[in-house]
Amino acid sequence: MATLAKPQPAIDEPSEFPHWSDGVPTDGDIAHIPGEAGLPLVGNTFKQLADPHGFTRRMVETYGKVYKTKAFGGWHVSLIGAEANELVLFNKDKIFSSEQGWGPVLDQLFPRGLMLLDFDHHRIDRRALSIAFKPEPMRHYCGSLNSGIAREVAGWEGPMRFNPAIKSLTLDLAADSFLGIPWGPEADKINTAFVDMVQASVAPVRKPLPFTKMKKGVDGRAYMVEFLNREVIRRRKEGGGQDMFSQFATATKEDGSLLEVDAVVDHMSFLMMAAHDTITSSATSFMYYLATQPAWQEKLREEIFAITGGPDADGNPRPLSYEDLGKLELTEMAFKETMRMMPPVPSMPRRALKDFEFGGYRIPAGQAVGINIYWTHHSDEYWDNPYTFDPMHFTPDKVKARHKYAWVPFGGGAHMCLGLHFAYMQVKILLAQLLQRYRIEAEQGYSPEWQPWPIPQPKDGLKIEFKKL
C-alpha cells in the first residue's frame, strides 16, 4: 500500500489526540494478535479480493472476532461485530482516524472528501455542507427526482439489464439535483471518470503507472477537478441555484467565510462518487430482491398505491410528494433489509491514533484497523434467519431490541452518511414510479453472481423484465 504523505492540518487538533500518527507498529507489537500473513509479498490480498466475505467468515471461525491479516502491503487488524462497530464508528474517545483509514485507498482519488476528514475539520466542513440537505433544498430535489425518474423509466418496459440502466439514470439525476445543469455529451466522460476512480481505489498496484487502473483513476480525478473548479467559480459569480453544488459553492463556515474552492471541489467530487455508486448498488440490489420476491413486491405496491392514489386516469404514475416520503414505512423497511443483505459499503477502515483494548487484546497506536459491516449484517447473533430477505427484521420492536450498531450501512457516529435521507428519497421515488407502472420479474431460480467488493454489483448487470400492469 502506498505510504500516506502527511498533510498540513487545516486546523489545530487537540494535543492529547494528535491528528496524525506517524508510528507504524512492528510485527512484534502485534505478535499477540492471532491471524496469518499469507503469501510472501502479496499476503492475503488476492484471497480477500476474490472472496472477501468467505475470507472474513473463515478468519472469524478460525481466530475469533479480533484477528490480523497481511494484505495490500501491510498488517490490518479486523474488529468484528456490533460492539466493534460501536467502538470504531461512535469513536467516543477519538481513538480512530477516518482520514488515515481511508487515505491509503482513496488519497490519490478522493482526497479531503468529508469521509476523509477528522474531528474539528470534519465537524466544521460537515456543518457547512449540511445546508444542502435542509428541508427546502430537499423539496427541490424531490421535484427534480420525480420528473427525471418518471421521464426515464417510462421507456423501461421489457427485458433489460438493470444495473447499467440505473447507473445511467443516477448520473443524469446527479446532473440535475447535484449540479443543476443540463447534461450533454460530458455525461459519458463523467461516468467513465467515476468508474475509473472507484475501480482504482482497490487496485493492487498503488502507483499510477502507465496502463494500470490507478493511472486511469488518477486521470479521471484530474478531469473531474478541472470540470468542478470551473463550475465553482461560475456559481459564485452567478449566485442562486437550488442544486446541491450551488449550495456547496456558497456555503459558509462558522466564521462566515466561504469554503475554499478546492474544498468545494473535493467535497463535491467525493459526494457525487458516493451517491452515484452506492445508490446504484442499493437500487440494483432492491430490484433483485423484489423481482425474486413477488409477494413482497406486491405488498410494497399496495402501500404505494394507498399513499399516491395510484396512476391517474391516463395511466401515468402519480408523483410521490415530499410530505408523503415518511409514510412509506414498509417500503423503507424493505430498503433497509436490502442494505442489510447487500450493504453498499461492506467494510470500513480506520487507523488507531493511540493504544486501545478490544476483545481482550491490546492494539497499538498507528495500527490499521477495520470493521466488517457485511459480517455483522449476516450474523445470527443479531438476526433471525440472517441470509433470508425479510423486511420484518425492521419492525419497531425488533429494531429496539437489537444492538444499535448491528445495522450500519450508512456508518455511524460523527461520520454517519450526510446524504442518507437523499438516498432514501431517491429510492422511494424510483420505486413509486416503477411499481405504479410495472411488475418486476426475473427468470425462475435466477441468482446472479455478484462482485462483492468494493461496491456490490451483479456481474451480469441484473437481468430482469418490466411488464406493464
Side-chain angles (χ1 to χ4, degrees), residues 353-396:
L353 296 176
K354 56 181 181 178
D355 295 359
F356 70 98
E357 289 192 5
F358 180 75
Y361 296 96
R362 183 191 61 80
I363 292 94
Q367 180 59 52
V369 301
I371 59 171
N372 193 289
I373 293 168
Y374 185 93
W375 188 94
T376 310
H377 283 191
H378 292 81
S379 170
D380 57 14
E381 291 181 41
Y382 315 109
W383 309 92
D384 298 325
N385 302 314
Y387 286 90
T388 299
F389 178 83
D390 182 6
M392 301 310 286
H393 280 133
F394 290 91
T395 58

Short mmCIF file of all heavy atoms in Angstrom, two decimals, residues 353-396:
data_model
loop_
_atom_site.label_atom_id
_atom_site.label_comp_id
_atom_site.label_asym_id
_atom_site.label_seq_id
_atom_site.Cartn_x
_atom_site.Cartn_y
_atom_site.Cartn_z
N LEU A 353 -5.10 6.09 16.55
CA LEU A 353 -4.23 7.21 16.91
C LEU A 353 -3.54 6.99 18.25
O LEU A 353 -2.60 7.70 18.58
CB LEU A 353 -5.04 8.51 16.96
CG LEU A 353 -5.63 8.97 15.63
CD1 LEU A 353 -6.48 10.21 15.84
CD2 LEU A 353 -4.55 9.24 14.60
N LYS A 354 -4.04 6.03 19.02
CA LYS A 354 -3.42 5.69 20.30
C LYS A 354 -3.77 4.26 20.65
O LYS A 354 -4.66 3.66 20.02
CB LYS A 354 -3.89 6.65 21.39
CG LYS A 354 -5.39 6.72 21.60
CD LYS A 354 -5.73 7.72 22.70
CE LYS A 354 -7.23 7.79 22.92
NZ LYS A 354 -7.59 8.72 24.02
N ASP A 355 -3.06 3.69 21.62
CA ASP A 355 -3.32 2.32 22.04
C ASP A 355 -4.76 2.18 22.55
O ASP A 355 -5.31 3.11 23.15
CB ASP A 355 -2.38 1.93 23.19
CG ASP A 355 -0.92 1.88 22.76
OD1 ASP A 355 -0.63 2.14 21.58
OD2 ASP A 355 -0.07 1.60 23.62
N PHE A 356 -5.35 1.02 22.32
CA PHE A 356 -6.67 0.74 22.88
C PHE A 356 -6.81 -0.76 23.07
O PHE A 356 -5.99 -1.54 22.57
CB PHE A 356 -7.79 1.29 21.98
CG PHE A 356 -7.96 0.54 20.68
CD1 PHE A 356 -8.95 -0.43 20.53
CD2 PHE A 356 -7.14 0.81 19.58
CE1 PHE A 356 -9.13 -1.11 19.33
CE2 PHE A 356 -7.30 0.13 18.38
CZ PHE A 356 -8.30 -0.83 18.25
N GLU A 357 -7.85 -1.16 23.79
CA GLU A 357 -8.11 -2.57 24.02
C GLU A 357 -9.50 -2.93 23.50
O GLU A 357 -10.45 -2.16 23.63
CB GLU A 357 -8.02 -2.91 25.51
CG GLU A 357 -6.60 -2.87 26.04
CD GLU A 357 -6.50 -3.50 27.43
OE1 GLU A 357 -7.52 -4.05 27.91
OE2 GLU A 357 -5.41 -3.43 28.02
N PHE A 358 -9.58 -4.12 22.91
CA PHE A 358 -10.89 -4.63 22.46
C PHE A 358 -10.81 -6.15 22.40
O PHE A 358 -9.82 -6.71 21.91
CB PHE A 358 -11.27 -4.09 21.09
CG PHE A 358 -12.61 -4.60 20.62
CD1 PHE A 358 -13.78 -4.10 21.16
CD2 PHE A 358 -12.69 -5.62 19.67
CE1 PHE A 358 -15.02 -4.59 20.76
CE2 PHE A 358 -13.93 -6.10 19.26
CZ PHE A 358 -15.09 -5.59 19.81
N GLY A 359 -11.84 -6.80 22.91
CA GLY A 359 -11.91 -8.25 22.85
C GLY A 359 -10.79 -8.96 23.56
O GLY A 359 -10.44 -10.09 23.19
N GLY A 360 -10.21 -8.30 24.57
CA GLY A 360 -9.12 -8.92 25.32
C GLY A 360 -7.74 -8.71 24.72
O GLY A 360 -6.75 -9.27 25.22
N TYR A 361 -7.64 -7.92 23.66
CA TYR A 361 -6.35 -7.66 23.01
C TYR A 361 -6.01 -6.18 23.07
O TYR A 361 -6.89 -5.32 22.91
CB TYR A 361 -6.38 -8.11 21.54
CG TYR A 361 -6.58 -9.59 21.36
CD1 TYR A 361 -7.85 -10.11 21.14
CD2 TYR A 361 -5.50 -10.47 21.43
CE1 TYR A 361 -8.04 -11.48 20.97
CE2 TYR A 361 -5.68 -11.83 21.26
CZ TYR A 361 -6.96 -12.33 21.04
OH TYR A 361 -7.13 -13.68 20.88
N ARG A 362 -4.74 -5.89 23.25
CA ARG A 362 -4.26 -4.51 23.15
C ARG A 362 -3.81 -4.27 21.72
O ARG A 362 -3.00 -5.02 21.17
CB ARG A 362 -3.10 -4.27 24.12
CG ARG A 362 -2.59 -2.82 24.12
CD ARG A 362 -1.29 -2.69 24.88
NE ARG A 362 -0.24 -3.50 24.28
CZ ARG A 362 0.47 -3.14 23.20
NH1 ARG A 362 0.21 -1.98 22.59
NH2 ARG A 362 1.41 -3.92 22.73
N ILE A 363 -4.36 -3.23 21.11
CA ILE A 363 -3.99 -2.87 19.74
C ILE A 363 -3.20 -1.57 19.81
O ILE A 363 -3.65 -0.59 20.41
CB ILE A 363 -5.23 -2.71 18.83
CG1 ILE A 363 -5.91 -4.09 18.61
CG2 ILE A 363 -4.84 -2.16 17.47
CD1 ILE A 363 -7.00 -4.42 19.53
N PRO A 364 -2.01 -1.53 19.23
CA PRO A 364 -1.14 -0.36 19.41
C PRO A 364 -1.50 0.82 18.51
O PRO A 364 -2.14 0.66 17.46
CB PRO A 364 0.24 -0.90 19.03
CG PRO A 364 -0.05 -2.00 18.05
CD PRO A 364 -1.34 -2.62 18.50
N ALA A 365 -1.11 2.01 18.93
CA ALA A 365 -1.28 3.22 18.13
C ALA A 365 -0.59 3.05 16.78
O ALA A 365 0.46 2.42 16.68
CB ALA A 365 -0.68 4.42 18.86
N GLY A 366 -1.20 3.61 15.75
CA GLY A 366 -0.65 3.53 14.40
C GLY A 366 -1.13 2.33 13.61
O GLY A 366 -0.89 2.24 12.40
N GLN A 367 -1.83 1.40 14.28
CA GLN A 367 -2.27 0.18 13.60
C GLN A 367 -3.48 0.45 12.69
O GLN A 367 -4.44 1.10 13.08
CB GLN A 367 -2.62 -0.89 14.62
CG GLN A 367 -3.10 -2.19 14.02
CD GLN A 367 -2.05 -2.81 13.10
OE1 GLN A 367 -0.90 -2.98 13.49
NE2 GLN A 367 -2.44 -3.12 11.87
N ALA A 368 -3.43 -0.08 11.47
CA ALA A 368 -4.58 -0.06 10.58
C ALA A 368 -5.60 -1.07 11.09
O ALA A 368 -5.26 -2.23 11.34
CB ALA A 368 -4.16 -0.41 9.15
N VAL A 369 -6.84 -0.61 11.28
CA VAL A 369 -7.90 -1.48 11.77
C VAL A 369 -9.12 -1.31 10.88
O VAL A 369 -9.19 -0.38 10.07
CB VAL A 369 -8.28 -1.16 13.24
CG1 VAL A 369 -7.07 -1.33 14.15
CG2 VAL A 369 -8.86 0.25 13.36
N GLY A 370 -10.10 -2.20 11.04
CA GLY A 370 -11.31 -2.07 10.24
C GLY A 370 -12.44 -2.89 10.82
O GLY A 370 -12.22 -3.83 11.58
N ILE A 371 -13.66 -2.50 10.47
CA ILE A 371 -14.85 -3.26 10.84
C ILE A 371 -15.43 -3.90 9.58
O ILE A 371 -15.16 -3.44 8.47
CB ILE A 371 -15.91 -2.37 11.52
CG1 ILE A 371 -16.34 -1.23 10.58
CG2 ILE A 371 -15.39 -1.84 12.85
CD1 ILE A 371 -17.53 -0.43 11.09
N ASN A 372 -16.21 -4.95 9.78
CA ASN A 372 -16.81 -5.64 8.65
C ASN A 372 -18.33 -5.58 8.76
O ASN A 372 -18.94 -6.29 9.57
CB ASN A 372 -16.33 -7.09 8.57
CG ASN A 372 -16.68 -7.72 7.24
OD1 ASN A 372 -17.84 -7.99 6.95
ND2 ASN A 372 -15.68 -7.93 6.40
N ILE A 373 -18.92 -4.71 7.99
CA ILE A 373 -20.36 -4.48 8.03
C ILE A 373 -21.12 -5.70 7.52
O ILE A 373 -22.12 -6.12 8.10
CB ILE A 373 -20.71 -3.22 7.22
CG1 ILE A 373 -20.12 -1.99 7.92
CG2 ILE A 373 -22.22 -3.07 7.04
CD1 ILE A 373 -20.14 -0.74 7.09
N TYR A 374 -20.64 -6.29 6.45
CA TYR A 374 -21.34 -7.44 5.86
C TYR A 374 -21.44 -8.57 6.88
O TYR A 374 -22.51 -9.19 7.02
CB TYR A 374 -20.60 -7.92 4.60
CG TYR A 374 -21.31 -9.03 3.88
CD1 TYR A 374 -22.19 -8.75 2.84
CD2 TYR A 374 -21.12 -10.37 4.23
CE1 TYR A 374 -22.86 -9.77 2.17
CE2 TYR A 374 -21.79 -11.39 3.58
CZ TYR A 374 -22.66 -11.08 2.55
OH TYR A 374 -23.33 -12.09 1.90
N TRP A 375 -20.37 -8.87 7.58
CA TRP A 375 -20.40 -9.96 8.56
C TRP A 375 -21.45 -9.69 9.64
O TRP A 375 -22.26 -10.56 9.97
CB TRP A 375 -19.03 -10.14 9.21
CG TRP A 375 -18.95 -11.36 10.09
CD1 TRP A 375 -18.52 -12.60 9.74
CD2 TRP A 375 -19.38 -11.47 11.46
NE1 TRP A 375 -18.64 -13.47 10.80
CE2 TRP A 375 -19.17 -12.80 11.88
CE3 TRP A 375 -19.91 -10.56 12.38
CZ2 TRP A 375 -19.47 -13.25 13.16
CZ3 TRP A 375 -20.22 -11.00 13.66
CH2 TRP A 375 -20.00 -12.32 14.04
N THR A 376 -21.45 -8.46 10.17
CA THR A 376 -22.40 -8.13 11.23
C THR A 376 -23.84 -8.23 10.73
O THR A 376 -24.73 -8.69 11.44
CB THR A 376 -22.14 -6.70 11.76
OG1 THR A 376 -20.76 -6.56 12.07
CG2 THR A 376 -22.96 -6.43 13.01
N HIS A 377 -24.07 -7.80 9.50
CA HIS A 377 -25.41 -7.85 8.92
C HIS A 377 -25.90 -9.28 8.66
O HIS A 377 -27.08 -9.47 8.41
CB HIS A 377 -25.44 -7.08 7.59
CG HIS A 377 -25.46 -5.60 7.76
ND1 HIS A 377 -25.72 -4.74 6.70
CD2 HIS A 377 -25.27 -4.80 8.84
CE1 HIS A 377 -25.67 -3.48 7.13
NE2 HIS A 377 -25.39 -3.50 8.42
N HIS A 378 -24.99 -10.24 8.73
CA HIS A 378 -25.36 -11.63 8.45
C HIS A 378 -25.06 -12.55 9.63
O HIS A 378 -24.96 -13.77 9.45
CB HIS A 378 -24.64 -12.13 7.19
CG HIS A 378 -25.12 -11.47 5.94
ND1 HIS A 378 -24.66 -10.23 5.54
CD2 HIS A 378 -26.03 -11.86 5.00
CE1 HIS A 378 -25.27 -9.89 4.41
NE2 HIS A 378 -26.09 -10.85 4.07
N SER A 379 -24.91 -11.98 10.80
CA SER A 379 -24.61 -12.78 11.98
C SER A 379 -25.90 -13.17 12.71
O SER A 379 -26.75 -12.32 12.99
CB SER A 379 -23.71 -11.99 12.94
OG SER A 379 -23.60 -12.67 14.17
N ASP A 380 -26.00 -14.46 13.05
CA ASP A 380 -27.19 -14.90 13.79
C ASP A 380 -27.16 -14.45 15.25
O ASP A 380 -28.10 -14.70 16.00
CB ASP A 380 -27.37 -16.41 13.69
CG ASP A 380 -26.17 -17.21 14.18
OD1 ASP A 380 -25.29 -16.61 14.84
OD2 ASP A 380 -26.10 -18.42 13.90
N GLU A 381 -26.11 -13.77 15.66
CA GLU A 381 -26.10 -13.13 16.98
C GLU A 381 -27.12 -12.00 17.05
O GLU A 381 -27.64 -11.68 18.12
CB GLU A 381 -24.71 -12.56 17.30
CG GLU A 381 -23.63 -13.58 17.54
CD GLU A 381 -22.31 -12.91 17.86
OE1 GLU A 381 -22.32 -11.92 18.62
OE2 GLU A 381 -21.27 -13.36 17.34
N TYR A 382 -27.38 -11.37 15.90
CA TYR A 382 -28.23 -10.18 15.87
C TYR A 382 -29.49 -10.36 15.04
O TYR A 382 -30.44 -9.56 15.15
CB TYR A 382 -27.45 -8.98 15.32
CG TYR A 382 -26.06 -8.85 15.90
CD1 TYR A 382 -24.93 -9.13 15.12
CD2 TYR A 382 -25.86 -8.49 17.22
CE1 TYR A 382 -23.65 -9.02 15.65
CE2 TYR A 382 -24.58 -8.39 17.75
CZ TYR A 382 -23.49 -8.66 16.96
OH TYR A 382 -22.22 -8.56 17.49
N TRP A 383 -29.52 -11.38 14.16
CA TRP A 383 -30.61 -11.50 13.19
C TRP A 383 -31.14 -12.92 13.15
O TRP A 383 -30.38 -13.88 13.12
CB TRP A 383 -30.10 -11.13 11.77
CG TRP A 383 -29.39 -9.81 11.72
CD1 TRP A 383 -28.06 -9.59 11.86
CD2 TRP A 383 -30.01 -8.54 11.55
NE1 TRP A 383 -27.79 -8.24 11.76
CE2 TRP A 383 -28.96 -7.57 11.58
CE3 TRP A 383 -31.32 -8.10 11.35
CZ2 TRP A 383 -29.21 -6.21 11.42
CZ3 TRP A 383 -31.57 -6.75 11.21
CH2 TRP A 383 -30.52 -5.82 11.24
N ASP A 384 -32.48 -13.05 13.11
CA ASP A 384 -33.11 -14.34 12.84
C ASP A 384 -32.99 -14.61 11.34
O ASP A 384 -33.23 -13.72 10.52
CB ASP A 384 -34.59 -14.31 13.23
CG ASP A 384 -34.79 -14.05 14.71
OD1 ASP A 384 -33.95 -14.51 15.50
OD2 ASP A 384 -35.77 -13.36 15.06
N ASN A 385 -32.63 -15.83 10.98
CA ASN A 385 -32.51 -16.21 9.56
C ASN A 385 -31.76 -15.13 8.78
O ASN A 385 -32.31 -14.48 7.87
CB ASN A 385 -33.90 -16.43 8.95
CG ASN A 385 -34.68 -17.50 9.68
OD1 ASN A 385 -34.15 -18.57 9.98
ND2 ASN A 385 -35.93 -17.21 10.00
N PRO A 386 -30.50 -14.89 9.11
CA PRO A 386 -29.78 -13.73 8.57
C PRO A 386 -29.57 -13.73 7.06
O PRO A 386 -29.33 -12.68 6.48
CB PRO A 386 -28.44 -13.77 9.30
CG PRO A 386 -28.28 -15.17 9.77
CD PRO A 386 -29.65 -15.66 10.05
N TYR A 387 -29.67 -14.90 6.41
CA TYR A 387 -29.48 -14.95 4.96
C TYR A 387 -30.79 -14.96 4.19
O TYR A 387 -30.81 -15.18 2.98
CB TYR A 387 -28.61 -16.16 4.58
CG TYR A 387 -27.15 -15.94 4.94
CD1 TYR A 387 -26.67 -16.32 6.18
CD2 TYR A 387 -26.27 -15.30 4.06
CE1 TYR A 387 -25.34 -16.10 6.54
CE2 TYR A 387 -24.94 -15.08 4.39
CZ TYR A 387 -24.49 -15.48 5.64
OH TYR A 387 -23.18 -15.25 5.99
N THR A 388 -31.89 -14.69 4.90
CA THR A 388 -33.20 -14.64 4.27
C THR A 388 -33.68 -13.19 4.18
O THR A 388 -33.64 -12.47 5.18
CB THR A 388 -34.23 -15.46 5.07
OG1 THR A 388 -33.80 -16.82 5.11
CG2 THR A 388 -35.62 -15.37 4.44
N PHE A 389 -34.12 -12.77 3.00
CA PHE A 389 -34.66 -11.43 2.82
C PHE A 389 -36.01 -11.33 3.52
O PHE A 389 -36.97 -12.00 3.14
CB PHE A 389 -34.83 -11.13 1.32
CG PHE A 389 -35.42 -9.76 1.03
CD1 PHE A 389 -34.62 -8.63 1.00
CD2 PHE A 389 -36.78 -9.62 0.78
CE1 PHE A 389 -35.16 -7.38 0.72
CE2 PHE A 389 -37.34 -8.37 0.51
CZ PHE A 389 -36.52 -7.25 0.49
N ASP A 390 -36.07 -10.50 4.56
CA ASP A 390 -37.30 -10.36 5.34
C ASP A 390 -37.39 -8.96 5.93
O ASP A 390 -36.78 -8.67 6.98
CB ASP A 390 -37.33 -11.40 6.47
CG ASP A 390 -38.62 -11.33 7.28
OD1 ASP A 390 -39.54 -10.56 6.89
OD2 ASP A 390 -38.72 -12.04 8.29
N PRO A 391 -38.14 -8.05 5.30
CA PRO A 391 -38.27 -6.68 5.81
C PRO A 391 -38.80 -6.61 7.24
O PRO A 391 -38.62 -5.58 7.91
CB PRO A 391 -39.25 -6.03 4.82
CG PRO A 391 -39.03 -6.78 3.54
CD PRO A 391 -38.80 -8.20 3.98
N MET A 392 -39.42 -7.68 7.74
CA MET A 392 -39.92 -7.66 9.11
C MET A 392 -38.79 -7.66 10.13
O MET A 392 -39.03 -7.51 11.33
CB MET A 392 -40.85 -8.86 9.35
CG MET A 392 -42.06 -8.88 8.42
SD MET A 392 -42.95 -7.29 8.36
CE MET A 392 -43.77 -7.34 9.96
N HIS A 393 -37.56 -7.81 9.68
CA HIS A 393 -36.41 -7.59 10.56
C HIS A 393 -36.41 -6.17 11.12
O HIS A 393 -35.74 -5.89 12.12
CB HIS A 393 -35.09 -7.82 9.80
CG HIS A 393 -34.71 -9.25 9.65
ND1 HIS A 393 -34.30 -9.79 8.43
CD2 HIS A 393 -34.67 -10.28 10.53
CE1 HIS A 393 -34.02 -11.07 8.59
NE2 HIS A 393 -34.23 -11.39 9.86
N PHE A 394 -37.15 -5.26 10.46
CA PHE A 394 -37.10 -3.84 10.82
C PHE A 394 -38.41 -3.32 11.41
O PHE A 394 -38.68 -2.13 11.35
CB PHE A 394 -36.64 -3.01 9.62
CG PHE A 394 -35.20 -3.25 9.29
CD1 PHE A 394 -34.84 -4.24 8.39
CD2 PHE A 394 -34.21 -2.53 9.93
CE1 PHE A 394 -33.50 -4.49 8.11
CE2 PHE A 394 -32.88 -2.78 9.66
CZ PHE A 394 -32.51 -3.76 8.76
N THR A 395 -39.19 -4.21 12.01
CA THR A 395 -40.33 -3.73 12.78
C THR A 395 -39.80 -2.96 13.99
O THR A 395 -38.70 -3.24 14.48
CB THR A 395 -41.20 -4.91 13.25
OG1 THR A 395 -40.40 -5.79 14.04
CG2 THR A 395 -41.81 -5.65 12.07
N PRO A 396 -40.54 -1.98 14.49
CA PRO A 396 -40.04 -1.15 15.59
C PRO A 396 -39.60 -1.95 16.81
O PRO A 396 -38.58 -1.62 17.43
CB PRO A 396 -41.24 -0.25 15.92
CG PRO A 396 -41.97 -0.13 14.62
CD PRO A 396 -41.84 -1.48 13.97
#
